Amino acid sequence: MNNFQSLGFPYFTAIESLYNEGVNLPPLNKKFSLKDVLPRLIKTITDTEDDVLKFETLALFERDRFAWFMDEEFSRQTLASLNLYNIKLVTEWPLKSMVDPKIYGPPESAITTQIVEREIGGFMTVEQVADTLRTHCCTEPYIIATNWQLSAMHPIYRLLHRHFCYTMEINALAREALINAEGIIESSFSSGKYSMELSSAIKDQQWQFDWQALPANLLSRGMAVKDPCAPHGLKLTIEDYPFANDGLILCDSIKQWVTEYVNHYNPEAKLVESDQELQAWWTEIRTKGHGDKKDEPWWPYLKTQEDLVGILTTMTWCFSSQVQATKVLVVLDVLSNHSPEEEYIGGVLEPSWAEELAIKAAFEKFNGQLEELEGIIDERNNNRELRNRSGAGIVPYNLLKPFSNPGAIGMGVPSSISI
């Protein structure tokens, strides 16, 4: 791995060398090094050698060094890993491509039922292309519009501004060294120089504001159906889906907190519709921030408290809970670190809220619900019937545990997109 451009591993033990010996990383260009691109994470680079990045041993390796060879473990990790938004129910078979058949030929896939059953014994997992820029790119317009249209004293500004920490700075650095031409993404991802073009195409085809948070996201991917008799009003397509089970509780807690906050400052619907700052904010997000989607019919209206609660819940989820899933070990391990300065959702009371007793009480209740979620997750991780998160050689699923210590420990929901 001395050559950063050499992406292949000649043998299995070369993968293990990432943890024992590290990776030699030459400067990205004359202006930037890895320390510049990731200023809050420079402790991941060894102090004794220049530009040598060493990884922490994976928890899976510590439990079972050979577990990752098994198809069953591959399928489990698809459900219980960082690829949270890449699973979609197959609704037509054979699979069909959306490319122009006049140029590329028949759209039907050559993968048949017989091939799938022969290769993986009747179990089928379909993973779609990951949009690695889903969170950073799509939330930047929210930050710009909030700072441009809402005064610092506006209640919605005070609710959102903690979710903005570091994001714009990191996005600017990413444009210089991560997503730029011949940068880390193009140099490391199999799609090469087409990585950003593919990401843009995926965003154009798949991104929809009202599908970003749970439960709507699960419904849009066919991973749940509405069931008024089931918890959260949903029946999961795969019952042991850790992200969905934990995420639904987290999203419900966020929505309850946002509802109490919004209703405190807007007890009547007319206050939302007549708020000129708020209306200008939402208009800018829709028509300028996401100008390519400005005429889509799915954009929520902003006329009532319920409309505002839905919009803010989705935004809070996007800033806090949409975990980036990247395929390159260098990017994945380093970007998964939590800084000692990291703030977690529901962890820090906004100073101005301390004087608002109703808001302070609502926030403390929110914090208590998050602590309760941690206990629920611990119980689920000890339930041997939940085989995607518990059992011999299986790493507990802690990704949506709200709070965390510094480092790459696979848990903690940050208040902002800070990685």
Side-chain angles (χ1 to χ4, degrees):
M1 290 289 295
N2 287 334
N3 183 356
F4 187 71
Q5 299 297 326
S6 177
L7 302 180
F9 293 99
Y11 38 82
F12 285 125
T13 53
I15 299 175
E16 296 182 3
S17 70
L18 294 172
Y19 310 98
N20 320 341
E21 303 169 15
V23 182
N24 295 325
L25 296 176
L28 299 176
N29 56 43
K30 294 181 181 180
K31 289 177 62 180
F32 296 96
S33 69
L34 190 63
K35 294 181 181 181
D36 296 319
V37 179
L38 306 168
R40 299 170 57 236
L41 305 175
I42 58 173
K43 291 183 180 179
T44 58
I45 302 176
T46 59
D47 296 327
T48 56
E49 301 176 76
D50 292 333
D51 294 322
V52 175
L53 181 65
K54 289 186 178 180
F55 297 92
E56 297 181 15
T57 303
L58 296 175
L60 176 65
F61 276 23
E62 293 179 346
R63 287 172 173 261
D64 185 347
R65 180 182 174 190
F66 300 103
W68 62 285
F69 285 116
M70 299 182 292
D71 289 340
E72 183 178 354
E73 175 61 18
F74 175 82
S75 297
R76 187 196 70 80
Q77 287 193 25
T78 302
L79 281 173
S81 71
L82 298 185
N83 297 307
L84 309 180
Y85 288 85
N86 298 342
I87 308 167
K88 186 175 181 179
L89 182 69
V90 175
T91 56
E92 63 175 354
W93 188 261
L95 300 175
K96 290 184 180 180
S97 171
M98 297 177 66
V99 299
D100 187 347
K102 295 180 181 179
I103 300 176
Y104 299 98
E108 293 80 7
S109 171
I111 301 175
T112 64
T113 302
Q114 291 74 22
I115 291 174
V116 172
E117 290 179 344
R118 182 179 72 242
E119 294 297 323
I120 54 178
F123 294 95
M124 181 171 65
T125 301
V126 177
E127 179 177 349
Q128 292 202 328
V129 178
D131 181 359
T132 60
L133 302 180
R134 176 199 307 272
T135 308
H136 285 263
C137 289
C138 293
T139 56
E140 187 169 305
Y142 313 154
I143 301 174
I144 295 173
T146 301
N147 283 289
W148 186 251
Q149 299 293 348
L150 300 181
S151 70
M153 297 176 62
H154 197 287
I156 302 307
Y157 178 91
R158 297 206 306 267
L159 178 67
L160 290 176
H161 84 97
R162 282 191 177 275
H163 296 295
F164 300 162
C165 294
Y166 309 112
T167 304
M168 296 298 287
E169 177 187 4
I170 289 173
N171 285 4
L173 290 169
R175 290 185 178 95
E176 295 284 353
L178 285 176
I179 63 174
N180 60 309
E182 301 181 355
I184 289 179
I185 299 296
E186 288 194 0
S187 301
S188 304
F189 280 49
S190 60
S191 47
K193 66 180 182 179
Y194 301 105
S195 297
M196 295 303 103
E197 183 177 351
L198 286 171
S199 294
S200 298
I202 292 171
K203 190 263 185 181
D204 179 60
Q205 294 180 16
Q206 299 184 359
W207 188 86
Q208 186 169 321
F209 177 84
D210 58 339
W211 285 357
Q212 297 311 298
L214 304 188
N217 177 266
L218 296 171
L219 294 169
S220 73
R221 292 188 285 120
M223 297 306 293
V225 293
K226 292 183 178 180
D227 183 348
C229 298
H232 312 286
L234 295 179
K235 179 177 175 57
L236 296 179
T237 304
I238 300 174
E239 292 185 4
D240 187 11
Y241 186 9
F243 167 66
N245 285 306
D246 298 350
L248 285 167
I249 298 177
L250 176 58
C251 207
D252 278 354
S253 298
I254 293 172
K255 185 175 182 179
Q256 185 174 343
W257 151 242
V258 172
T259 298
E260 294 189 35
Y261 187 93
V262 167
N263 288 341
H264 176 76
Y265 291 105
N266 299 275
E268 298 179 1
K270 64 181 182 181
L271 296 176
V272 174
E273 193 168 12
S274 63
D275 188 327
Q276 295 182 3
E277 288 187 33
L278 204 56
Q279 294 299 326
W281 167 79
W282 185 231
T283 298
E284 178 170 323
I285 288 172
R286 292 184 294 107
T287 63
K288 295 183 179 179
H290 289 285
D292 57 325
K293 301 287 186 181
K294 64 183 177 66
D295 296 321
E296 295 290 348
W298 40 254
W299 282 107
Y301 293 106
L302 181 52
K303 296 182 178 180
T304 68
Q305 302 101 313
E306 290 76 15
D307 296 338
L308 183 55
V309 166
I311 290 168
L312 294 173
T313 299
T314 297
M315 289 184 179
T316 302
W317 175 266
C318 292
F319 281 114
S320 301
S321 306
Q322 281 192 352
V323 183
Q324 297 290 11
T326 53
K327 301 297 183 185
V328 182
L329 287 176
V330 173
V331 178
L332 178 59
D333 188 86
V334 174
L335 294 187
S336 297
N337 274 272
H338 289 302
S339 164
E341 295 81 29
E342 190 81 78
E343 289 187 7
Y344 298 95
I345 187 170
V348 179
L349 180 71
E350 165 70 28
S352 64
W353 298 339
E355 304 300 322
E356 296 272 5
L357 296 183
I359 297 300
K360 182 180 179 182
F363 183 85
E364 289 173 348
K365 182 168 68 174
F366 178 44
N367 178 270
Q369 290 173 335
L370 297 180
E371 291 181 355
E372 183 179 348
L373 174 57
E374 294 213 328
I376 292 172
I377 290 175
D378 287 337
E379 289 179 7
R380 288 173 172 174
N381 287 338
N382 289 320
N383 185 346
R384 291 306 178 98
E385 295 182 1
L386 303 178
R387 297 183 59 190
N388 288 326
R389 62 194 305 161
S390 178
I394 294 178
V395 179
Y397 190 85
N398 292 320
L399 199 65
L400 292 181
K401 290 189 79 169
F403 307 111
S404 173
N405 295 319
I409 58 177
M411 67 177 70
V413 180
S415 288
S416 62
I417 303 168
S418 55
I419 56 175

